[in-house]
């Protein structure tokens, strides 16, 4: 298979995200409400995709359109007809479904293609090599399992072909609700989706396959504005939703007292990064409780911090002093960390639990509403008594179940981080592969803790913190590239992003 990882660009995209079943039912309701036919919407979808192809590939004169036996294929027939009318040489290959009829709208699009003089070849793995652009209209948003023959071999043939790929609605083979790849998936250069975004465009394995994502509402913007939003998408342009300019006479006390607990032997870096990230995000006063051996290096690196040895006495006093608590970075699971967590459990202050605090929570579960949990997939699997594979197969379901079992707000980290709380579920459309290195989670904990200290509500602090964290990494990548990025590279960027 040819490796095709186009540079990820995030164009202007809507903030609303809809599951596949909602989209199918909503499409029908919208058409009825607005006096449209479903074929009319298919025509709009095909034109939107055709225009996108022309935008990015204006000089390519040979297109290959691959159509499956469903409405995704119907969109492909419309694209092919419009391209042929524009003087482009179009080869259209369709999957042979035997005697099984096409859906009505797709059949109508097929007939329009034939009436326009188009021809249909049976799709096979030998794709014409002279094609300069491939349109993927094989499988749409209804797929819930690995593609079967002949789709699997067609997908592999697309991925071997050197031409760029425009996927219609979603890359064939990718689950629209989860972003899970159960089998072969088209690696798209661009994906043109219709009406609204789907979760599978943004989380799970989406970024490996979607390429540059585009959305066209097909003229349904006003109708969509009156509908409930199942999931929200946030990016770096949204930070001002949660953070505004400070009152001119504000002072450090108003900006919050934050306590961080962690840094077992050999893990001083974790608590140091979390502590500085909380300062950079705007916390007024930050106190660290850790091992005595870490205090000197910690204060040398960041003298703005307050630091003490973690003992039962200092912990009780600090819990009384703090407005917000972050526990877990470098905490460990030995007796030292266990005792600290047990005392912290007795506090009713707002808290963020990360890293080994989550692993200890998995051993002794409880439910709290005044808490944010920030697991990566491995920690999520332990909390759910499942496997990482099960978590990654359906990340939206996993984060909802974590929130139901443990309460509060849950941040499920990964490519397309998900945030779930009583206020809903969101996906953070930020971040890049450079974040795959140690310490990134500690920086995130510090950012969210710092925002909590500034009195942001838990769900808002989690959403804003995740966006700032990922956007900081994106700024680093823009300057230095992704490979070789380290967690402390993000620290200077945080203060720039929390002042939108």
């Amino acid at each position: 298979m040819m490796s095709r990882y186009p540079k990820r660009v995030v164009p202007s995209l809507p903030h609303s995200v809809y599951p596949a079943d909602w989209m199918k039912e909503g499409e029908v309701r919208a058409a009825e409400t607005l006096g449209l036919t479903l074929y009319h919407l298919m025509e709009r979808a095909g034109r939107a995709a055709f225009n996108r192809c022309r935008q990015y590939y204006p000089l390519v004169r040979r297109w290959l359109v691959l159509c499956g036996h469903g409405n995704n294929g119907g969109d492909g027939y419309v694209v092919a007809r419009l391209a042929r009318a524009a003087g482009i040489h179009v080869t259209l290959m369709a999957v042979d479904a035997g005697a099984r009829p096409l859906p009505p709208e797709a059949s109508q699009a097929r007939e329009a293609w034939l009436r326009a003089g188009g021809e249909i070849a049976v799709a096979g793995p030998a794709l014409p090599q002279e094609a300069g652009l491939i349109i993927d209209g094989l499988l749409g948003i209804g797929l819930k399992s690995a593609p079967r023959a002949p789709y699997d071999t067609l997908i592999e043939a697309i991925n071997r072909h050197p031409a760029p790929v425009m996927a219609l609605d979603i890359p064939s083979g990718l689950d629209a609700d989860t972003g899970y790849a159960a089998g072969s998936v088209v690696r798209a250069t661009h994906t043109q989706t219709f009406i609204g975004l789907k979760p599978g465009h943004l989380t799970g394995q989406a970024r490996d396959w979607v390429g540059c994502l585009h959305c066209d509402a097909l003229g349904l913007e006003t109708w969509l504005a009156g509908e409930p939003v199942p999931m929200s998408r946030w990016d770096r342009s949204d930070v001002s939703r949660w953070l505004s300019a400070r009152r001119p006479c504000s002072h450090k006390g108003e900006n919050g007292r934050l306590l961080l607990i962690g840094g077992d032997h050999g893990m001083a870096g974790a608590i140091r990064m979390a502590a500085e990230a909380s300062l950079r995000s705007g916390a007024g006063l930050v106190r660290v409780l850790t091992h005595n051996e870490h205090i000197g290096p910690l204060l040398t690196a960041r003298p703005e911090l307050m630091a003490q040895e973690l003992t039962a006495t200092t912990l009780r006093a600090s819990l009384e002093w703090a407005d917000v608590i972050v526990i877990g970075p470098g905490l460990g699971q030995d007796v030292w960390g266990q005792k600290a967590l047990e005392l912290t459990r007795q506090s009713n202050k707002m808290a963020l639990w990360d890293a080994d605090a989550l692993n200890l929570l998995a051993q002794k579960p409880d439910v709290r509403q005044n808490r944010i949990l920030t697991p990566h997939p491995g920690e999520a699997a332990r909390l759910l008594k499942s496997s990482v594979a099960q978590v990654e197969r359906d990340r939206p379901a996993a984060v909802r179940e974590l929130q139901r079992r443990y309460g509060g707000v849950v941040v499920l980290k990964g490519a397309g981080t998900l945030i779930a709380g009583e206020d809903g579920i969101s996906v953070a459309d930020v971040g890049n592969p450079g974040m795959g290195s140690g310490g990134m989670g500690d920086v995130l904990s510090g950012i969210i803790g710092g925002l909590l200290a500034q009195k942001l509500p838990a769900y808002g602090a989690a959403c804003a913190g995740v966006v700032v964290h990922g956007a900081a990494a994106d700024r680093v990548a823009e300057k230095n590239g992704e490979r070789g990025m380290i967690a402390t590279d993000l620290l200077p960027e945080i203060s720039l992003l929390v002042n939108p």
Side-chain angles (χ1 to χ4, degrees):
M1 180 190 297
M2 178 182 177
S3 177
R4 187 191 285 119
Y5 291 96
K7 180 174 175 58
R8 184 170 180 271
V9 179
V10 182
S12 178
L13 290 171
H15 288 98
S16 301
V17 183
Y18 305 92
D21 287 345
W22 189 101
M23 187 60 65
K24 292 176 186 175
E25 184 269 338
E27 178 180 58
V28 174
R29 287 192 294 112
E32 291 175 350
T33 301
L34 300 175
L36 303 171
T37 66
L38 292 177
Y39 181 68
H40 192 169
L41 290 179
M42 181 174 284
E43 281 279 326
R44 290 184 181 183
R47 184 165 295 278
F50 169 74
N51 289 338
R52 193 71 66 189
C53 292
R54 296 287 276 174
Q55 175 187 351
Y56 283 92
Y57 304 103
L59 301 180
V60 175
R61 307 306 299 168
R62 287 184 174 271
W63 293 11
L64 170 62
V65 181
L66 293 165
C67 295
H69 202 73
N71 282 333
N72 196 243
D75 297 335
Y77 284 113
V78 176
V79 173
R81 192 186 80 241
L82 294 171
R84 189 176 189 276
I88 294 166
H89 183 279
V90 178
T91 300
L92 189 145
M93 302 178 75
V95 173
D96 183 6
R100 185 160 58 93
L102 282 169
E105 293 77 28
S107 179
Q108 198 170 344
R110 179 181 182 275
E111 292 306 312
W113 162 249
L114 292 172
R115 285 197 305 271
E119 298 179 349
I120 300 174
V122 176
L127 303 182
Q129 291 301 297
E130 68 272 15
L133 176 65
I134 297 175
I135 313 300
D136 165 28
L138 291 175
L139 297 167
I141 62 174
L143 185 74
K144 295 299 176 189
S145 60
R148 300 183 179 92
Y151 290 99
D152 52 354
T153 55
L154 283 170
I155 290 170
E156 295 299 330
I158 291 172
N159 290 342
R160 288 193 300 269
H161 199 284
V165 178
M166 177 70 71
L168 304 181
D169 220 358
I170 196 161
S172 292
L174 193 64
D175 189 307
D177 284 335
T178 66
Y180 182 69
S184 298
V185 180
V186 166
R187 195 179 306 284
T189 318
H190 294 266
T191 295
Q192 175 67 61
T193 195
F194 310 116
I195 302 179
L197 303 175
K198 292 80 181 175
H201 289 133
L202 302 166
T203 194
Q205 295 168 287
R207 293 189 184 185
D208 278 351
W209 308 104
V210 168
C212 188
L213 178 62
H214 312 270
C215 184
D216 192 302
L218 307 185
L220 305 184
E221 292 88 348
T222 301
W223 180 83
L224 284 169
E227 294 294 305
V229 178
M231 180 184 290
S232 297
R233 182 195 71 88
W234 307 122
D235 61 31
R236 72 165 81 179
S237 68
D238 296 303
V239 175
S240 59
R241 290 174 176 265
W242 305 288
L243 296 171
S244 56
R246 283 181 170 171
R247 187 173 60 84
C249 292
S250 63
H251 54 80
K252 62 186 178 184
E254 279 188 6
N255 297 329
R257 297 186 297 269
L258 177 64
L259 172 64
L260 294 104
I261 306 162
D264 200 357
H265 297 297
M267 292 187 282
I271 199 68
R272 182 257 199 252
M273 288 185 284
E276 179 166 349
S278 65
L279 286 172
R280 298 287 187 181
S281 63
L285 293 164
V286 179
R287 179 180 294 178
V288 175
L289 295 184
T290 186
H291 279 295
N292 193 54
E293 68 201 59
H294 301 327
I295 293 174
L298 191 68
L299 294 179
T300 300
R302 195 78 280 152
E304 297 87 350
L305 296 169
M306 298 177 283
Q308 290 178 281
E309 183 178 6
L310 173 59
T311 66
T313 300
T314 58
L315 180 51
R316 289 190 180 95
S318 296
L319 290 171
E320 183 66 26
W321 168 86
D323 298 317
V324 173
I325 303 151
V326 171
I327 185 166
L331 184 69
Q333 298 183 53
D334 293 337
V335 173
W336 184 80
Q338 292 174 22
K339 288 183 176 179
L341 188 61
E342 283 307 306
L343 278 175
T344 303
R345 281 181 191 265
Q346 299 170 22
S347 172
N348 62 2
K349 303 282 181 72
M350 174 57 68
L352 181 146
W353 290 27
D354 184 31
D356 280 322
L358 300 174
N359 294 324
L360 292 171
L361 176 63
Q363 298 170 25
K364 186 179 177 182
D366 67 8
V367 180
R368 289 179 57 158
Q369 299 307 323
N370 60 338
R371 177 175 62 191
I372 297 176
L373 306 180
T374 57
H376 57 55
E379 292 156 348
R382 288 187 280 277
L383 288 165
L384 292 173
K385 303 292 189 288
S386 65
S387 67
V388 173
Q390 287 174 300
V391 170
E392 293 289 70
R393 178 178 285 273
D394 192 338
R395 286 169 55 82
V399 75
R400 288 189 181 99
E401 180 60 16
L402 285 164
Q403 198 281 328
R404 187 192 69 80
R405 289 195 196 184
Y406 293 93
V409 174
V410 177
V411 174
L412 179 56
K413 295 182 286 195
T417 292
L418 297 171
I419 306 101
E422 292 184 341
D423 294 334
I425 182 169
S426 297
V427 58
D429 196 15
V430 289
N432 61 77
M435 300 174 76
S437 62
M440 290 290 176
D442 303 311
V443 171
L444 175 61
S445 294
I447 295 171
I448 298 175
L451 297 177
L452 284 172
Q454 295 169 77
K455 302 177 179 59
L456 268 71
Y459 190 72
C463 291
V466 171
V467 169
V468 167
H469 183 245
D474 289 340
R475 288 175 63 95
V476 173
E478 287 161 10
K479 290 184 285 188
N480 304 327
E482 295 169 353
R483 186 174 280 114
M485 184 188 302
I486 58 175
T488 52
D489 289 341
L490 275 59
L491 295 172
E493 305 294 338
I494 294 168
S495 58
L496 300 174
L497 290 159
V498 296
N499 290 287

